[in-house]
Amino acid sequence: MPLLPTRTLLLAAVLAITSAPTLAADDDKDKPPAYQPREFYTKYEYRIPTRDGKRLFTAVYVPKDHSRRYPFLMVRTPYSCGPYGVDRDGAGRLAPNEDFLKAGYIFVCQDVRGRFQSEGQFIEMTPHKPVKGPTDVDESTDTHDTVQWLLDHVPGHNGRVGLWGISYPGFYTAASIIDSHPAIKAASPQAPIGDLFMGDDSYHGGAFMLAANFGFYAFFKPQQTPVLPPGQWPEFDYGTKDGYEFFLQFTNLDAMAERLAQDGGANPYFNVQLEHDRYDSFWRSRAILPHLKNIRAAVLTVGGWFDAEDLAGPLGVYRAIGRQSPATDNRLVMGPWVHGGWVGSPGRSLGRVRFDQPTSEQFQKEVLLPFFEQTLRDVAPKAPIAKATVFETGTNVWRRYDAWPPREARPRTLYFAAGGKLSFTPPAASETAFDSWVSDPAKPVPFVGYTALGMPQEYMVSDQRFAATRPDVLTYRSDVLDEDLTVAGPIVARLFASTTGTDADWVVKLIDVYPADVEEEGPRKRRPRTEDVETPESPLGGFQQLVRGDPLRGRFRKGFETPEAMVPGRVEELRVTLQDVNHTFRRGHRIMVQVQSSWFPLIDRNPQTFVPIRSAKAQDFQAATQRLYRAPAQASGLELQVLAPR
């Protein structure tokens, strides 16, 4: 089956997560019957008016037990509040898990304006309006008007409202707590989009996230009037199982947009990504982070260390609230999850990497439900919820800190050295060398070592041995570690580099190299399917696990607003921002860093000439020689935050 975009798969998972079967299977006769939300909730549907006269479709599930009052728990989404019709139950799809259903909430789902059954015009990443007239609207006002209407028209509530949502609904959650209705007491933006250009879905380091966006906009399309969702989400016909070859056949991004248009018409949402290829007013107006001020609700932001789409978002939301609204009850959870992986999956592993415990269930029961119970019902949690609850990969341990990054983390620099070495020792005064490679856009470095379509989530921990053997990838290794080394916080690669071209991409990857003799647990089996892509098995001995990677497009080395050509042969300092990690490199492992100039088709190809990339011609794509310097005055390396050995 062709690969569905990750956000489509997440939507399907969220919609199905707590939907219980009608009847127990024959071999489950001795088990208690599955929880049936229909027995305990009554569904109502409303079209709630907003201050500009548009009406927003809202489904409300009210407990049948009227002996007590309940808080509201609301999700606002562009992905449909179906099934539509008061006789069609969907309460189980609105709760993070069954425990919420049993605890008793008034569950609310709203189609955001311009999506499915709601009126108005849909604007992707609705710009927030700090100054408003009486009929001006944004996501904050739509939520405010909805909350007031619910308080006035739905009986049996306790006057408190909680908001939550994953991915795009996570953005709506964050946007809704700005200038919020006083009844909103708690919010949990989960995998929220903070800024589409600055590290979330659209661009990373100025490079276009090709595979993810092409797949997503194959199904996410405009609507003119209220519509019902399709019977099934459409699938784009790639005509092949090899995404690398599929995208390589196109000369440029404009040609890809034309191919996308052949499958249902031109998609303005995809085209606008290409039109705004720098951080201009279009992107700045849609960034929610600068507006997260005077937040009155308690906030629990949730993200996954292996979220291929919105890793920057939750970290950005948490930091923005902490910086701009310091009095807010502001908490962070980061687990070993893919995009939305804490819902609908046990969170025990990703690809070959094991976490050895049901991390999703732990979070749901020990953090998420207690957070809402405390803020919406004054039920004290069994254990205090930490300011930062973060999973430490490598050791597979939950850590609880009073801030993120941990206050005790200390900066250290891991330098590139001669002979492909990594060292915490700066280069010697006599060292003036550089390492070089030839980058050819006609033969870009793939981002996974197996045939795949779209963006398989497993790539975030994928084995990098395939790249380490390529001549166009620089590889640096540390000595074998004689004690654990924990990196906790942001990572910045400081590169002194040059190119013979006038533009170049600089991709930096931090990798955990397993010992050659690592023991397998039981017989090796084929790796579980990841987004309908079967990845080839490989032994864990010598496994090179990707821990973090990100690119910088050279034309944006001085800022993302105004691109500037690189000067052939000129050595420049480049800073490649990698997102945070909380990872322990275990004793007996090695640390590896790979540097390369393509990562295809995760990001689009850079022609390596300073031309408009979206319309670049075949002759614009030229091979170039890249140099990475490691002299004392040009000491390339990784700036890390490191914790003292435990």
Side-chain angles (χ1 to χ4, degrees):
M1 182 178 70
L3 176 69
L4 287 175
T6 307
R7 278 170 280 186
T8 311
L9 290 164
L10 171 62
L11 170 62
V14 170
L15 292 179
I17 179 169
T18 52
S19 299
T22 303
L23 297 173
D26 290 341
D27 57 355
D28 289 340
K29 290 179 180 179
D30 295 332
K31 294 182 180 181
Y35 184 85
Q36 299 290 342
R38 185 188 292 268
E39 296 182 17
F40 303 98
Y41 290 87
T42 301
K43 180 182 181 182
Y44 301 89
E45 292 183 344
Y46 305 105
R47 298 187 182 276
I48 295 179
T50 57
R51 62 191 66 186
D52 68 344
K54 301 300 182 183
R55 298 180 302 165
L56 305 183
F57 175 87
T58 309
V60 180
Y61 295 82
V62 179
K64 294 179 180 180
D65 178 6
H66 301 306
S67 64
R68 57 193 179 110
R69 295 184 175 275
Y70 303 90
F72 291 99
L73 188 61
M74 179 164 64
V75 59
R76 304 183 65 243
T77 178
Y79 297 134
S80 169
C81 285
Y84 298 97
V86 294
D87 296 322
R88 303 185 66 191
D89 178 62
R93 301 171 178 177
L94 301 183
N97 58 53
E98 190 174 281
D99 290 339
F100 279 81
L101 292 167
K102 293 178 178 179
Y105 286 80
I106 301 175
F107 294 102
V108 179
C109 184
Q110 183 172 82
D111 288 338
V112 297
R113 65 172 56 222
R115 292 296 293 171
F116 294 101
Q117 288 295 290
S118 284
E119 299 173 351
Q121 178 187 6
F122 173 77
I123 300 175
E124 191 172 19
M125 293 290 290
T126 313
H128 179 75
K129 299 177 180 177
V131 180
K132 303 178 180 70
T135 60
D136 287 336
V137 296
D138 56 20
E139 300 309 330
S140 176
T141 66
D142 279 354
T143 306
H144 187 287
D145 295 347
T146 297
V147 167
Q148 189 59 54
W149 192 96
L150 292 171
L151 293 172
D152 292 342
H153 294 86
V154 177
H157 63 77
N158 70 355
R160 301 186 189 184
V161 178
L163 307 174
W164 82 289
I166 301 174
S167 190
Y168 218 144
F171 158 76
Y172 289 109
T173 300
S176 295
I177 57 177
I178 306 168
D179 304 321
S180 62
H181 194 290
I184 298 176
K185 302 298 184 183
S188 183
Q190 302 180 10
I193 306 166
D195 189 323
L196 277 171
F197 189 94
M198 300 298 287
D200 278 321
D201 302 78
S202 295
Y203 286 83
H204 284 204
F208 182 54
M209 300 298 287
L210 172 58
N213 282 280
F214 187 91
F216 179 65
Y217 291 107
F219 96 96
F220 194 84
K221 300 177 180 179
Q223 67 181 60
Q224 303 303 320
T225 58
V227 298
L228 293 173
Q232 65 179 27
W233 297 103
E235 300 172 5
F236 181 82
D237 184 8
Y238 287 86
T240 178
K241 294 182 179 180
D242 191 337
Y244 185 95
E245 292 297 330
F246 173 80
F247 287 108
L248 197 59
Q249 69 180 305
F250 297 101
T251 302
N252 53 37
L253 295 171
D254 281 342
M256 296 179 196
E258 291 176 7
R259 174 62 185 87
L260 196 60
Q262 295 173 14
D263 193 64
N267 190 317
Y269 299 144
F270 181 77
N271 294 342
V272 79
Q273 311 284 317
L274 310 184
E275 179 182 349
H276 298 279
D277 61 354
R278 64 201 67 188
Y279 198 60
D280 56 15
S281 59
F282 176 86
W283 296 114
R284 284 195 298 273
S285 70
R286 285 160 170 75
I288 201 65
L289 303 182
H291 303 290
L292 293 172
K293 305 172 183 176
N294 302 316
I295 307 299
R296 293 188 287 266
V299 182
L300 180 74
T301 304
V302 181
W305 288 129
F306 306 119
D307 186 339
E309 293 164 294
D310 295 307
L311 173 58
L315 294 167
V317 167
Y318 169 75
R319 287 175 174 139
I321 293 175
R323 183 175 59 253
Q324 299 168 163
S325 190
T328 298
D329 181 355
N330 182 36
R331 302 172 192 271
L332 175 71
V333 176
M334 296 295 295
W337 305 307
V338 297
H339 193 62
W342 50 94
V343 173
S345 68
R348 290 183 177 273
S349 63
L350 176 59
R352 300 297 316 285
V353 179
R354 299 175 57 87
F355 311 123
D356 300 323
Q357 53 196 294
T359 61
S360 299
E361 180 181 344
Q362 291 168 341
F363 158 69
Q364 296 276 351
K365 291 182 176 296
E366 298 173 18
V367 181
L368 186 62
L369 180 60
F371 168 76
F372 279 115
E373 288 287 281
Q374 181 178 27
T375 52
L376 301 182
R377 258 198 280 256
D378 296 326
V379 177
K382 293 181 180 179
I385 301 173
K387 290 293 184 182
T389 303
V390 294
F391 194 84
E392 184 179 284
T393 54
T395 54
N396 294 339
V397 176
W398 283 104
R399 303 293 185 187
R400 292 164 177 81
Y401 298 107
D402 62 359
W404 182 260
R407 301 184 198 278
E408 55 267 39
R410 295 293 179 262
R412 295 189 69 182
T413 299
L414 192 58
Y415 295 97
F416 304 150
K421 297 287 188 178
L422 279 177
S423 174
F424 285 109
T425 303
S430 59
E431 206 170 326
T432 59
F434 58 83
D435 297 308
S436 66
W437 70 100
V438 176
S439 171
D440 186 353
K443 300 176 182 178
V445 181
F447 74 104
V448 290
Y450 50 85
T451 299
L453 283 175
M455 186 179 65
Q457 295 173 322
E458 186 270 348
Y459 103 81
M460 293 289 282
V461 296
S462 191
D463 191 350
Q464 300 300 302
R465 280 178 283 195
F466 75 94
T469 61
R470 287 184 60 117
D472 52 357
V473 177
L474 290 186
T475 300
Y476 300 91
R477 295 177 177 85
S478 73
D479 292 333
V480 174
L481 299 176
D482 56 12
E483 63 180 11
D484 288 359
L485 186 144
T486 301
V487 180
I491 302 170
V492 176
R494 186 178 182 221
L495 308 182
F496 290 89
S498 68
T499 178
T500 58
T502 51
D503 193 15
D505 286 347
W506 308 90
V507 179
V508 181
K509 299 183 296 187
L510 177 64
I511 297 161
D512 186 342
V513 182
Y514 289 44
D517 59 350
V518 66
E519 293 185 6
E520 305 273 356
E521 292 189 9
R524 286 198 287 121
K525 298 180 180 179
R526 191 168 183 82
R527 182 182 296 158
R529 290 165 66 90
T530 302
E531 290 193 13
D532 298 315
V533 174
E534 289 196 5
T535 56
E537 188 59 87
S538 59
L540 276 178
F543 190 78
Q544 296 177 5
Q545 177 197 334
L546 180 64
V547 174
R548 186 66 74 239
D550 256 317
L552 171 68
R553 183 144 287 172
R555 63 180 61 196
F556 295 116
R557 66 200 181 281
K558 297 182 180 179
F560 294 101
E561 294 83 3
T562 305
E564 182 178 318
M566 301 189 75
V567 178
R570 177 185 292 175
V571 181
E572 298 192 60
E573 180 180 347
L574 312 172
R575 296 184 70 82
V576 185
T577 300
L578 285 68
Q579 297 301 329
D580 297 31
V581 303
N582 189 34
H583 182 80
T584 294
F585 296 86
R586 302 306 307 275
R587 180 174 62 86
H589 288 223
R590 295 176 186 262
I591 305 171
M592 175 184 286
V593 175
Q594 292 179 355
V595 184
Q596 58 202 55
S597 288
S598 52
W599 213 13
F600 189 75
L602 184 66
I603 62 175
D604 62 323
R605 288 188 300 154
N606 189 330
Q608 303 185 154
T609 57
F610 189 69
V611 297
I613 293 179
R614 61 174 292 187
S615 57
K617 299 177 174 60
Q619 59 268 29
D620 295 326
F621 290 82
Q622 299 180 11
T625 298
Q626 328 289 34
R627 287 183 174 182
L628 190 63
Y629 293 80
R630 42 184 172 75
Q634 298 171 334
S636 299
L638 258 64
E639 297 174 351
L640 310 171
Q641 299 292 316
V642 176
L643 292 173
R646 292 184 173 88

